Structure formats: C-alpha cells, structure tokens
Amino acid sequence: MFKNMIVYRIAPQWQVKLTQVEEALAKAPFLECGATQEKSLGWVPPRGDAHGPLAESVGGQWILRFMVESKVLPGSVLARRVKEKAERIEQETGRKPGKKESRELKDEAKLDLLPMAFTKQGSMWVWIDTASRLLVLDTSSQGRADEVVTLLVESLPGLSVSLINTQTSPQAAMSHWLKEQEPPVGFTVDRECELKSASEEKAVVRYARHPLDIEEVQAHIDAGKLPTKLALTWDDRVSFMLTEGLQIKKVAFLDTVFEGTKADDGGFDTDVAIATGELVKLIPDLIEALGGEAESGVASAAQAVAAGAAPPSAPSAPARKAGGGGVVTGPLEVPVDSDPESAPF
C-alpha cells in the first residue's frame, strides 16, 4: 500500500463527512467493460469485499480505491483487420477507400475485435487526511494522478486541491545535499541517484547500490548535471526515491516500523494504520526539508473561480473549475510526467 506518492493540499474550506464521500462515489462505481467498450473506470470497495463501502475510515484516515479496466487490442491486429476490409472493398468496387472511409473502417474493425480482446485491470489507492488537509495518490505518474483528481473534484462538491509546492525545488535541494554532503535533518542519503545534463545532449548518469559521497558525483554537478532522482531514508523508518517533480517513489517501510507487531498482525486496517501513521509524519518533514510550503493559491483560486473572477496567476498555475464546483491548481511549472507508464492502467 502506497509504494508511490503524489501529494496534494486540500483547501481549508472543504468540510464534508465520510458518508457524503460515500454517497458521491456511489454515483460512479466501477463496472467491467462491456463487449464493445474500450475502457471503464470507477470506484471499488477498498477492503475488496463485494458490495462493501467505497470509502473506509481507519484511525480517522479515509481510504478509497480507484479501478480501471481497458481492452488490450494490439495495433498490428487492428491494422490487419482494416487491411482485410479495405482489400474487400477494392475487390468488390475496384477502388481504394479514401481517408474518411479508412477511418470508418478502422472504427468498424475495432468494434469487431473488442469483444474478443483481452482485458487488463489496474487500481490506485487514494488517501484523504482531513486533519492535515492532504490528498495522497498511490502513483508516480502525473498523468494518472490528473485523471483521478479530476474525477474526485467533479464528484465531491466543493473539493479544491493543489499540488504541493515548496519554497525550494526538489532538484535544487538534491543538488545541495549531494554537493555539500549535507542531508536535511532527519534524513540520510542512500546509494541511488540519477543526474541529467540540461544541455541538448541530455546526458544521464545513474548510480545504483553505490556510495554517493564521492568527488565524481560532485564533479558531475559542477559540470552542470542536475539530480532528477535521489534515494533517501527518513528517520531510519521509511526509504524512498525523491524526484525532481516532488513525486515520491519506491516507498518501503523498514524493520523499525514493525517492531512490537506480531507476525500474524496484518489485514487492511493494520496496513492502513502503519502506512498512514508513518507517512503523515514523513510528508511534513520532507516539505520542511525543501524550505517549507510555498503558498499554493488553492484557497484563493477556489474562491475566485466560485465568484466568477480570474484566479491568481502566481504562484499557482491557472485554476480550472470542475463539475462539482471545485478547482484544481498547482505550481506555476507543473511537474513533467516522467514515468507515464508506471501505473498499471
């Protein structure tokens, strides 16, 4: 649970009960793809129980689960079917299909093949911490996160969120930590990182299972290469990979987290309690290590959009209004989706 994280701040004016969230999600439950349906998405019970609630609370932390199913239709198979249809028309009429007719043949071929296509499913954990006003998605793909956040904002009345934005960029902070060998208080630098040149060549240097307190790493930074990924450990309890876009990957809970627990302790409630109990402390410490949180503008943006006025242009990106009356904003420079295929859908 929560192997990757993209973190949003929830605007303070959003105050709802868990029952209201449950009612909203019930309007968009996950249903498997129909015979000719290419993709289906929606909410499933987090515990995995059939007909269970779509929103669970464990220790005051709200957990949701988003599911996507899509049909796998190889391009080569589709192209072959289109070619067969085009050749049949040519044999029967003596002419080759034009561009418009070829597009129609492709649509027809897709409808023919979808009932026979294999399906793949993927899910994403969603954690809402109302006390800390955090929305956390279990993904390292910004594109996947945008899809789920948009659906949430449209479904939950008044929800307004903003990507966490820090005073110091993760890239600048990681450069300082590596060059000066001064990790932030409570953190240690581990043995993995990626450095990328800003020049046209885009040269990349990767270290794995390798000490980083060496002159070679500092020389790369002096030469203009900037860290895009850096492995860190927080408080000897949680290890993770920090990216330039403030995405948190490869989250792993260390043995010290499980001290005092029994071997047979497990299940949904235990997993949620352990994960959220650690991460709710790690996230603010990481934000503090990056100079503290910059003003996100989510509250003022939400108020401006609701009033029909122009949202603030800085320091946040332009706000967009969603169907539920909420708004999504973010840093002025939205993080690049550097890992679009990391999520299983």
Side-chain angles (χ1 to χ4, degrees), residues 5 43 119 141 174 180 202 238 246 266 279 284 345:
M5 294 192 296
W43 304 98
T119 60
S141 166
M174 291 188 290
E180 304 299 330
K202 302 295 183 184
V238 184
L246 195 50
L279 298 177
F345 58 85

Side-chain angles (χ1 to χ4, degrees), residues 1 15 21 69-70 76 87 91 107-108 123 140 142 148 151 156 160-161 176 184 202 213 235 243 270 296 324 329:
M1 182 175 286
Q15 303 288 336
V21 175
E69 181 179 81
S70 58
S76 58
E87 289 175 346
Q91 291 172 359
D107 292 337
E108 290 178 8
S123 64
S140 60
Q142 190 62 54
V148 176
L151 182 61
L156 301 177
S160 300
V161 300
H176 175 78
K202 302 295 183 184
D213 56 345
D235 199 29
T243 76
T270 301
S296 67
T329 70

Side-chain angles (χ1 to χ4, degrees), residues 51-64:
H51 310 298
L54 298 176
E56 293 278 358
S57 177
V58 178
Q61 305 295 339
W62 297 356
I63 302 295
L64 323 174

Side-chain angles (χ1 to χ4, degrees), residues 155-177:
S155 302
L156 301 177
L159 176 63
S160 300
V161 300
S162 172
L163 278 166
I164 292 291
N165 191 20
T166 54
Q167 296 282 356
T168 303
S169 73
Q171 194 163 62
M174 291 188 290
S175 282
H176 175 78
W177 300 337

Side-chain angles (χ1 to χ4, degrees), residues 166-230:
T166 54
Q167 296 282 356
T168 303
S169 73
Q171 194 163 62
M174 291 188 290
S175 282
H176 175 78
W177 300 337
L178 286 171
K179 182 174 173 57
E180 304 299 330
Q181 289 301 305
E182 293 181 1
V185 176
F187 293 83
T188 56
V189 172
D190 292 341
R191 296 162 57 88
E192 185 174 354
C193 80
E194 178 182 274
L195 303 167
K196 185 176 293 185
S197 172
S199 65
E200 293 182 0
E201 291 81 7
K202 302 295 183 184
V204 178
V205 177
R206 295 185 179 92
Y207 291 90
R209 298 181 295 278
H210 195 288
L212 302 179
D213 56 345
I214 56 176
E215 292 184 0
E216 182 180 301
V217 171
Q218 298 176 26
H220 280 305
I221 295 174
D222 289 337
K225 293 185 179 69
L226 296 173
T228 56
K229 299 177 183 177
L230 179 63

